[in-house]
Every structure is written in structure tokens, then in C-alpha cells.
Amino acid sequence: MRGLLAAGLERRERGYRGRFAPSPTGPLHRGNLRTALLGWLVARRRRGEWLLRIDDLDAPRNRPGAEEAILADLRWLGLTWDGPPIRQSTRRGIYASVLSALRRAGALYPCRCSRRLLADISAPHGALAVYPGLCRTAPPQWGPVEGRLPSWRLRLGPGSLAWPEHGRLAVSVDGPRQVGDVVLRRADGLVAYHLATAVDELALGIEEVLRGEDLRASTGAQVAVMAALGASPPRYAHVPLWRDASGQRLSKREGAEGLAGYRARGLDAAGVIGELAASLDLVPSGTRLSAADLLAGLEADRLEGALRGTDARTLGTGGREGRQA
Ligand code: GLU
């Protein structure tokens, strides 16, 4: 396990490696396609690698055929990835050994709080953002009680959690107040998203995690896992979400059209790349071009602008409880 993480950290030093990590819960929507395009452009410009990781640990949420559709869409757009797709479901042994090591080191504790209990004690408006530590000091009972297993939580120390963010010096959050003791293994035995993704960014040697800005709120929890493993975080680039003309985040229905919607409007791959790129202000609207031509003609400051967008307002949100794989 240590060797795996050490090899990943060493890989991080040897040239750019990014990743795109969709969950196979349905087709890629417009916003996912645009984030994929940005990640691909950044990696290729740096002459680096771009990995495709399939976040398929939460089996009940996976949809049959979704993974194949994701691969087909990326290929159709010319967004080629390096190596075979990396399915998290094939890496359960790695996550299990990391969890055991953390448990042996005393970094975890079992928690028997149900979702309902946490909902009941949370503020009347809004879900509880940070676990209040109810089971922190209870005698650790890892086995089943009345037939139910506990979830496993990370015991977070005091202080802040910081990570480098693209184009900025660093972002930091207050660990206990904004992140808290997150679940790393659910009571149903599933490995939590925060654990799996933190381990994979390290083990796969990812230099920069480029993803939608909605995931910035998960970063504190993931950096906390990395810190517990004694590793420094990669750089993060949280890119703007697709918003409509009035600045609202696209609704599921609007964004959900994905490639099928574009095709229904008669667009081919060059038309779609043109529209995605125009929405990022990389090309004038109405441009038609391949991903490779977009890359070849790309100006550095335009790409920088697309990465930063106008998201400064959303900076600094803390971690949230309960986002799972
Ligand atoms: N698979 C998750 C998602 O699609 C996480 C992605 C990420 O960390 O980039 O929302």
C-alpha cells in the first residue's frame, strides 16, 4: 500500500497527468462534456497524460450501458485518453488495504449514527454540513450490533486543510468547522467517494485534479484523507459550471441533453466541439472544428480565462457530509 502511494507521488513529479472521472450513472451532460474538453486541452497542451477513471463504486447508482456510452461519446469527440479506463470497482482491494492501515493507525472510529438521527438533530433549514462527533468518544465497537455494522469515520485533528488551486496561491478550510469527521466506509460496506478518490489521485500520480466547481466543497474531505496518509495534495482546478444567460446553473433537464441533444439538432463532432469551445470563449460562436484543431490553435491566455471563469464568488466553501462514491 505504501509502495503504491509512493510510486504515485513519484509519478506526479515526472510530467503532467490529469484525469476525467465520470460516474456511470447516465450519459454525460453538456457540462460534463465541457469539463472533459477542458481537461483534455490542458493535459495535451502540457504534453501530458489524460486518464479516464470510471467512478463506479456505488453499484446501485450505476446504469447499464452508461460506461460504454461515456467512452463512445469521448471517442466521437476526439477526446482520447491514455491507457485503459480505470474502473474503481476493480480497485476495491487497494481501498480496503488503505482503510485497514488507517484503522490500525488509530485514524478511524466506528460510528453508529443513522442518517435519520443526523437529519433530526440538524438545523431546521439545510442539512448538517459537519458531523458533530457523537461517536468520537464511544468505546470502539467494530463488529455488528443488533445486526448492523458501523460506518467508519476519519478522526480529524485540529487546524486547517490547504491545497494548491490553479491560478491561486492556495485554498484553505478550517478542518473541524468545515469538514469534520467524514465517513470513509459506509455502514453497508461501500467505500466512500472521498476515500476512493483521494487514494486514486495519489496512487495514479495525478498532478492536477480538474473538475467542476461544485466539487470544490468535497476537496477539504479528500485533502484530509491525503493528510492522514501522510501525503500532500495535488493541485486542483475547479472549473466553472455551465450557466444559462441569467447566471443560473443549468437544470438537469437543460444539461441532460448531452450529445444526443446536439445530434438531434444535426450537429456533428466539429459542430459540438465548436459549441463547447464557444461557450468557454475559446472560439467565436458558430465555429466548427475538431478537438485536435482547437488544441493546435489555442492561445494560452484564452485557456487560462476558461479555467478561471468568474467563479471567485464561490471560493472557500467547506466540506459536506455524506457525498459518497
Ligand atoms: N465521479 C464523481 C462525479 O462525477 C467525482 C468526480 C471528480 O472527483 O472529479 O461527480
Side-chain angles (χ1 to χ4, degrees), residues 162-166 168-171 233-237:
W163 62 88
E165 178 97 23
H166 188 103
R168 302 189 172 91
L169 285 181
V171 171
R235 185 171 58 253
Y236 288 82

Side-chain angles (χ1 to χ4, degrees), residues 280-301:
L280 291 164
D281 216 13
L282 295 176
V283 296
S285 83
T287 307
R288 288 173 34 80
L289 79 180
S290 68
D293 287 344
L294 175 63
L295 175 68
L298 201 60
E299 290 161 29
D301 15 330

Side-chain angles (χ1 to χ4, degrees), residues 196-304:
T197 195
V199 168
D200 283 345
E201 317 304 11
L202 299 176
L204 299 172
I206 303 299
E207 176 181 324
E208 182 170 76
V209 174
L210 187 150
R211 57 186 181 181
E213 70 186 11
D214 54 329
L215 287 160
R216 186 182 283 118
S218 296
T219 311
Q222 292 160 20
V223 170
V225 175
M226 295 175 188
L229 292 169
S232 60
R235 185 171 58 253
Y236 288 82
H238 288 105
V239 301
L241 301 181
W242 198 314
R243 297 181 191 276
D244 66 18
S246 63
Q248 296 296 308
R249 190 173 158 175
L250 283 191
S251 73
K252 255 228 150 81
R253 191 162 352 100
E254 286 166 302
E257 62 166 17
L259 275 193
Y262 284 118
R263 288 200 189 105
R265 281 167 43 210
L267 291 181
D268 59 3
V272 176
I273 293 287
E275 277 213 9
L276 295 174
S279 80
L280 291 164
D281 216 13
L282 295 176
V283 296
S285 83
T287 307
R288 288 173 34 80
L289 79 180
S290 68
D293 287 344
L294 175 63
L295 175 68
L298 201 60
E299 290 161 29
D301 15 330
R302 286 223 171 243
L303 183 58
E304 224 16 70

Side-chain angles (χ1 to χ4, degrees), residues 1-12 17 51 53 86 91 94-95 98 195-206 226 229 231-232 234:
M1 194 278 285
R2 289 272 149 215
L4 194 83
L5 296 185
L9 293 177
E10 199 228 307
R11 173 63 187 77
R12 209 201 259 173
R17 191 180 254 188
L51 306 188
R53 189 183 84 203
I86 299 151
R91 299 168 62 78
I94 296 172
Y95 311 133
V98 170
L195 187 273
T197 195
V199 168
D200 283 345
E201 317 304 11
L202 299 176
L204 299 172
I206 303 299
M226 295 175 188
L229 292 169
S232 60

Side-chain angles (χ1 to χ4, degrees), residues 21-77:
S23 303
T25 51
L28 296 175
H29 60 66
R30 252 201 272 171
N32 302 141
L33 293 170
R34 191 169 83 160
T35 302
L37 174 63
L38 262 178
W40 181 87
L41 286 171
V42 170
R44 296 304 178 220
R45 244 192 106 82
R46 298 278 307 269
R47 302 199 186 290
E49 290 182 5
W50 192 60
L51 306 188
L52 178 60
R53 189 183 84 203
I54 304 291
D55 288 358
D56 59 352
L57 281 181
D58 196 349
R61 293 184 59 229
N62 295 342
R63 288 283 157 272
E67 182 191 316
E68 291 73 14
I70 289 170
L71 269 54
D73 283 1
L74 294 174
R75 272 198 205 102
W76 192 75
L77 289 172

